[in-house]
Amino acid sequence: MKVLLDLQYLNVASTGIKTYMLELAHAARAYPHPEIEWIFTHETEERLADQTYRGTQSKIQKLNFHLDYFRWKEFQLPDLVKKYQADVLLCPDFVSPAASLPCRRLTVIHDAFFWQMPQNYPRWWRKYFLSLIRKGLKENTEIITTTEYSKNSLLEHLGSSLPISVVYQAPKFLNGVTPSSSLLAAHNLVKGGYFLHIGTFDKRKNLPLLVRAYADFLSKSQSSKKLVLAGGPGQSKVMNDLPHVEKLVESLGLQEKVILPGYLDDTEIRALYEEAFAYVFPSENEGFGIPVLEAMGFGVPVIHSDQPALMEVAGAAGLPFSTGSESNLTEKMILLERETDLRSSLVHAGMARSKDFSAQKFITAFQEIILRSPLAR
C-alpha cells in the first residue's frame, strides 16, 4: 500500500499544523508497517529551510504564494499521485486537489474555525480557502480531524456525506533538544517564577484576558511571579492581537513583569517549559491544544479554559476555568500558587495524561485507517 504524504505546506506552516506535519512524518518513519510504503513529497528538513514565503510579505509575494500553492495542489500533486501510483493521498493541511484522482484521499481538517469564527479572517481569503477545501472533498475521501469536538463541529458545517475519523495527534516533547538558558537569564526568570503561554497572538487565544487576569492576580496575591507570552503575531492583521497586548501591558504598567520574547527556537522553548510554574491556556476555541500536553509532559501544571477540545485533551489532569471569565482565571492562578498539594497532584496527573498521546499511537491510528477497506466504516 503506497501512501503519498503531502508536505508542501511545511515551509510556511506555523504552530499546530507544523507540529502535526513534522510529528506525522517522524512517526511514519519511526514506526514502519510492513504493508505500508510511505512516500514524502518533500524531505522535512529541506522544506523547513525554505524561507521563500516566510516573514513580512508584500501583496505580490502573498499572491505568488497563493499561486504556487494552487499550482501545487491542482497540477503537481496529482502528477505525483500518478507518478508513484499511490493508493492513498494524505493531505494534512485542509486541502486536497479538486481534480479526480485514481486513489483514496485522507484529508486532515484540524478544526472548524473558518466556519465558526468568520470574523477572524479576511473575507476574500476565507472565501477562497473554503472553496479550495470543499472542491477537494470529493470521490473516495475520508476526513481526519483531531478531537471529538472538532468532529462534531465539522459535521455541523459539512454534513455527514463523508466519513470523519478522529486521530489524536502527538505533541512535540522536544526529546534530544538541549535547553538554552540565555532567554531565562536575560529576563531574570527563575525556576517556578513565571506563568507561561506559547503560541501565536491570534484573537481566539484570548491573551488580553490573560494579561488582565495576571494583573489582578498580582494585586491580590502580592506575588513576584512574571508572565511569559512567547510567540509571534497572529496570522493576519484581522486576527493579530499582539498590538493590543503590547498596549495593554504598557497601560497596566507591567513592562517589567510581562515578557514578550517573540518567536523562539526549540532550545529556548524547552528551557521555558522546564522552569515554568504553570502553563496558562485561555483560548476561546481550539481544535486540539498541543501545548496542554507539551506542558504536562514537562511536569508543568496547566490552567486552561473549559473550551470542549481542551477539556477533552486535558482530561481530568488540568485545572479548568470558565472560558472568557477574567475573574475565574484569576482565582485559579491564586489557587494554584497557594495550594501546593493541588499543584503536585496536577503535575503527576498531567505527566500520566501526556503519555496517552504518543507518536506510536498517532501513527498506529493512521495505519488502521489506511489499511481498512474504504467500505468498512
Side-chain angles (χ1 to χ4, degrees), residues 39-290:
I39 303 167
F40 294 179
T41 61
H42 302 77
E43 286 302 316
T44 57
E45 294 305 315
E46 292 178 5
R47 197 63 186 154
L48 287 172
D50 184 351
Q51 300 292 310
T52 305
Y53 295 112
R54 289 187 184 274
T56 303
Q57 302 163 26
S58 66
K59 290 183 178 180
I60 292 177
Q61 286 176 309
K62 291 179 180 179
L63 177 61
N64 285 337
F65 165 73
H66 288 300
L67 289 173
D68 283 352
Y69 186 77
F70 181 82
R71 281 193 293 267
W72 169 259
K73 287 290 184 180
E74 305 306 335
F75 299 101
Q76 294 167 277
L77 189 55
D79 284 345
L80 287 180
V81 169
K82 296 174 183 177
K83 175 183 176 180
Y84 291 112
Q85 298 182 323
D87 300 292
V88 177
L89 171 63
L90 174 48
C91 295
D93 62 341
F94 289 85
V95 177
S96 177
S100 294
L101 299 175
C103 67
R104 286 173 63 199
R105 306 171 190 234
L106 300 178
T107 302
V108 182
I109 301 183
H110 298 256
D111 50 61
F113 297 163
F114 299 117
W115 295 274
Q116 294 172 322
M117 310 175 78
Q119 71 278 7
N120 285 0
Y121 302 93
R123 184 179 300 176
W124 71 268
W125 183 89
R126 176 178 173 271
K127 183 176 181 180
Y128 166 72
F129 200 67
L130 283 178
S131 72
L132 289 182
I133 293 174
R134 289 187 180 277
K135 288 177 181 178
L137 297 179
K138 60 193 299 183
E139 301 169 338
N140 192 5
T141 296
E142 182 166 354
I143 297 171
I144 308 296
T145 195
T146 54
T147 55
E148 292 295 336
Y149 165 73
S150 289
K151 177 179 178 178
N152 292 332
S153 300
L154 291 172
L155 285 170
E156 179 181 346
H157 293 281
L158 295 177
S160 57
S161 59
L162 294 174
I164 303 178
S165 295
V166 174
V167 173
Y168 287 131
Q169 65 193 87
K172 181 171 61 175
F173 288 122
L174 304 176
N175 295 326
V177 174
T178 301
S180 168
S181 60
S182 59
L183 178 68
L184 302 178
H187 295 283
N188 296 315
L189 297 172
V190 299
K191 186 173 181 61
Y194 56 93
F195 293 94
L196 176 64
H197 180 277
I198 299 174
T200 58
F201 282 73
D202 286 349
K203 288 186 181 297
R204 65 182 173 83
K205 298 291 186 179
N206 260 353
L207 294 177
L209 177 100
L210 174 52
V211 172
R212 292 192 299 270
Y214 169 70
D216 197 24
F217 162 81
L218 290 180
S219 67
K220 291 178 177 178
S221 68
Q222 303 304 309
S223 174
S224 62
K225 287 183 173 56
K226 296 183 178 182
L227 172 63
V228 180
L229 304 177
Q235 296 182 25
S236 72
K237 183 178 292 187
V238 175
M239 297 166 65
N240 184 23
D241 245 351
L242 180 56
H244 183 189
V245 169
E246 291 173 333
K247 290 178 182 178
L248 183 60
V249 169
E250 183 177 358
S251 69
L252 293 171
L254 295 175
Q255 296 94 325
E256 300 301 316
K257 290 286 190 175
V258 179
I259 312 303
L260 303 170
Y263 280 117
L264 302 176
D265 63 29
D266 285 349
T267 65
E268 295 166 316
I269 289 173
R270 174 156 191 160
L272 282 174
Y273 272 132
E274 288 184 344
E275 306 297 324
F277 172 75
Y279 192 94
V280 188
F281 206 162
S283 181
E284 67 180 36
N285 201 0
E286 291 293 326
F288 187 80
I290 288 174

Side-chain angles (χ1 to χ4, degrees), residues 7-23:
L7 296 175
Q8 165 80 2
Y9 188 68
L10 192 55
N11 69 326
V12 294
S14 62
T15 60
I17 295 181
K18 178 181 177 181
T19 298
Y20 192 101
M21 296 174 76
L22 287 174
E23 294 304 310

